[in-house]
């Protein structure tokens, strides 16, 4: 059974009705995150750093209620859990979309994620499985680029309200501290800058654990 947001009593009802009619309802921000602690921990424990910060991303997304909202026709669904659809690169230079299921326990999460990553790497084409739900974060990593802003290809005719989160190249300073850029794009009918700020703060807190 799906849960829906009670629009009549939602303080953002007017905002929702206003922004959902935009040709481009997404807005975004790019910030620099400190990944010194997270990178150190991942290497000490021999974790995949990519999976480690992807897990932190999903922990934060599942902790901020607005990141669980999706537009479905005239209603807003409240999903119980949000998973990740990450782009997975292949040796031939192509990539495919994955479905990496969230689990609050990192070891369980990583075990399932590694199976999915290998499946996508061995497959061909962009869409390697069907996606029946939109309880996803569209996730990508650009480890070759230290970007300061980012835009996404968008099909305005396609109904889409999934947040899009991307990470750039990790940098180290003279003291050995590490950082990387993070871009967060979200549907303005479902959330505002306040909620993006909550997500970024939560993600940084997770990275510092």
């Amino acid at each position: 059974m799906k849960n829906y947001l009670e629009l009549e009593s939602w303080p953002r009802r007017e905002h929702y009705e206003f922004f959902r009619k935009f040709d481009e309802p997404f807005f975004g921000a790019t910030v620099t995150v400190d990944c010194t602690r997270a990178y150190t921990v991942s290497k000490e424990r021999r974790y995949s750093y990519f999976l480690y910060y992807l897990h932190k991303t999903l922990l934060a997304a599942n902790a901020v209620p607005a990141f669980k909202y999706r537009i479905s026709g005239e209603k807003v669904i409240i999903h119980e859990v949000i998973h990740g659809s990450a782009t997975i690169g292949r040796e031939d230079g192509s990539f495919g979309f994955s479905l990496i299921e969230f689990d609050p326990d990192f070891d369980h999460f990583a075990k399932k994620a590694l199976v999915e990553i290998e499946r996508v790497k061995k497959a061909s084409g962009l869409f390697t499985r069907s996606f029946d739900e939109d309880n996803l974060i569209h996730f990508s990593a650009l480890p070759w680029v230290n970007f300061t802003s980012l835009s996404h290809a968008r099909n305005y005719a396609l109904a889409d309200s999934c947040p899009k989160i991307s990470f750039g190249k990790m940098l180290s300073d003279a003291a050995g501290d590490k950082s990387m850029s993070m871009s967060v794009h979200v549907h303005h009918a479902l959330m505002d800058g306040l909620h993006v700020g909550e997500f970024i703060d939560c993600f940084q807190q997770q990275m510092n654990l």
Side-chain angles (χ1 to χ4, degrees):
M1 182 178 178
K2 293 183 178 179
N3 294 318
Y4 294 94
L5 193 65
E6 179 52 61
L7 295 177
E8 294 299 325
S9 59
W10 191 21
R12 292 192 70 263
R13 172 63 186 268
E14 187 176 355
H15 305 67
Y16 167 74
E17 296 293 353
F18 180 70
F19 288 113
R20 70 191 293 255
K21 299 172 184 176
F22 278 35
D23 293 328
E24 172 52 296
F26 277 77
F27 76 97
T30 300
V31 300
T32 299
V33 296
D34 184 340
C35 53
T36 307
R37 171 67 179 168
Y39 184 78
T40 299
V41 170
S42 69
K43 294 308 172 185
E44 287 177 348
R45 300 179 183 177
R46 298 184 179 181
Y47 293 155
S48 158
Y49 177 59
F50 168 73
L51 289 181
Y52 195 61
Y53 73 76
L54 173 56
H55 186 248
K56 299 292 190 181
T57 304
L58 292 175
L59 281 169
N62 278 282
V64 179
F67 275 73
K68 294 184 175 184
Y69 298 166
R70 299 293 182 271
I71 298 173
S72 178
E74 297 299 315
K75 298 182 179 180
V76 175
I77 295 176
I78 306 174
H79 287 294
E80 292 185 8
V81 63
I82 298 298
H83 304 292
S85 178
T87 55
I88 303 300
R90 304 188 181 100
E91 290 186 2
D92 63 3
S94 69
F95 68 85
F97 294 135
S98 68
L99 175 56
I100 298 181
E101 297 181 4
F102 174 67
D103 190 303
D105 181 274
F106 177 76
D107 290 330
H108 294 162
F109 169 81
K111 183 177 181 179
K112 292 185 289 184
L114 288 172
V115 172
E116 173 68 355
I117 288 172
E118 285 304 308
R119 185 192 68 79
V120 175
K121 285 183 175 180
K122 293 177 181 178
S124 60
L126 186 60
F127 295 95
T128 63
R129 65 184 300 164
S130 61
F131 294 86
D132 299 325
E133 296 286 347
D134 61 357
N135 58 335
L136 303 168
I137 295 290
H138 294 160
F139 183 91
S140 59
L142 290 78
W144 324 274
V145 182
N146 177 32
F147 60 75
T148 55
S149 65
L150 187 73
S151 62
H152 292 272
R154 290 265 291 125
N155 179 358
Y156 296 152
L158 178 65
D160 175 22
S161 57
C162 296
K164 301 163 198 328
I165 300 174
S166 303
F167 288 89
K169 183 178 183 178
M170 185 171 65
L171 303 176
S172 298
D173 64 16
D177 293 333
K178 301 183 185 301
S179 63
M180 59 184 179
S181 51
M182 176 175 71
S183 169
V184 183
H185 282 75
V186 298
H187 200 297
H188 211 344
L190 297 178
M191 67 181 90
D192 307 310
L194 171 67
H195 308 99
V196 173
E198 289 176 351
F199 167 79
I200 292 171
D201 287 345
C202 184
F203 173 75
Q204 185 64 77
Q205 290 168 8
Q206 288 291 334
M207 292 288 278
N208 291 342
L209 293 177

